[in-house]
Amino acid sequence: MRDENNKLIAFGYVCGMGLEHGYMEDIIVHPEYQKKGIGVKLVKELLREAERFGLGIVTVSYEECNTNFYKTCGFLPGSGGVWQSNK
C-alpha cells in the first residue's frame, strides 16, 4: 500500500496462489501509519485476492501479542491463524 505521495507505507503477500491453501507473510506497516486501520485493510484485501485466485484456506504465523489484530482480520486463532473462504 502507498500513501497519497506514492510512499510505501504497508506491505504483505500471500504465497500459494493457484493452489487450495496459501500462507500469508510479511505483514508490515510503517510505524508512522500504525494504529490507523491500514494493516487490517491490507490483510483483508490480500484475503480477497487470495479468494479470487481460488485459495480456500490461508494460514499465518504471528506473535501472541498480535492475536486480536488477526482475529479482526477474520482469522481463527490457534498457534497461528487460519482463514477459510466462505465459497
Side-chain angles (χ1 to χ4, degrees), residues 5-79:
N5 298 315
N6 205 33
K7 176 182 175 184
L8 183 64
I9 60 171
F11 176 82
Y13 66 97
V14 176
C15 303
M17 296 304 201
L19 304 173
E20 185 177 330
H21 172 260
Y23 184 77
M24 184 174 288
E25 294 189 299
D26 298 337
I27 303 303
I28 303 165
V29 177
H30 188 285
E32 292 177 17
Y33 294 86
Q34 292 177 1
K35 307 293 183 193
K36 297 180 179 185
I38 292 169
V40 171
K41 288 179 186 176
L42 172 63
V43 169
K44 288 185 175 185
E45 181 60 28
L46 288 170
L47 293 173
R48 276 191 290 277
E49 281 295 298
E51 191 170 45
R52 188 172 76 82
F53 277 90
L55 291 177
I57 296 172
V58 174
T59 58
V60 64
S61 297
Y62 55 83
E63 295 179 16
E64 188 175 342
C65 63
N66 293 320
T67 299
N68 285 335
F69 171 80
Y70 285 101
K71 283 174 65 175
T72 298
C73 294
F75 284 87
L76 300 174
S79 59

